[in-house]
Amino acid sequence: MGGQRILSDEQIDEMATLRERGRSLQAIANHFTAKGTPISASAVGWQCLRVGADAPIAKRNPLSTRSDVYRRGGHVIRPFTPDEDARLRDLEAQGLKTRQMADQLGRRENSIRGRLMTLARHDARAEDESLPESTNGEL
């Protein structure tokens, strides 16, 4: 990877805080753009996914079950199937690198990286939901 970083660690922390307080990805993008750092909502989404920042429970989206191929922003989107998710988890458990996983699944490396982060986020949500309410997520 290369290139100069556009966002500082402090900006990414601020994005995460705003997301966890319930701000939409577009609202966060608008906030940073107004402050002189133009950024798209999808870039904000990627950064929040990368650092594990999640929306409050009431604003969370379930793991997509969409299986049809569709277009978004001029790109063909091929959603992951439950079988691919299971295979991806197995390959990760075997210790394969994202490049190797991408080759085995016929996907781009960035797609694999994003899906692994998404699956981890959903696993964390499921774990949080399984904790007794009296602990409020604290052990």
Side-chain angles (χ1 to χ4, degrees), residues 21-80:
R21 289 182 181 162
R23 298 280 295 273
S24 72
L25 299 175
Q26 187 60 59
I28 296 169
N30 293 345
H31 168 79
F32 279 93
T33 298
K35 289 173 66 173
T37 304
I39 189 166
S40 68
S42 60
V44 171
W46 179 261
Q47 291 298 328
C48 289
L49 179 63
R50 190 179 64 76
V51 298
D54 210 353
I57 292 171
K59 295 188 175 195
R60 292 180 185 171
N61 294 323
L63 191 60
S64 176
T65 57
R66 187 171 184 170
S67 61
D68 58 315
V69 175
Y70 61 98
R71 294 185 76 75
R72 180 178 63 213
H75 299 280
V76 174
I77 306 299
R78 184 171 50 102
F80 281 82

Side-chain angles (χ1 to χ4, degrees), residues 102-122:
D103 289 343
Q104 287 200 25
L105 292 173
R107 300 265 187 172
R108 292 179 181 245
E109 189 173 356
N110 208 41
S111 177
I112 296 297
R113 191 176 299 113
R115 189 59 176 184
L116 287 171
M117 289 186 287
T118 297
L119 292 172
R121 180 184 67 208
H122 284 272

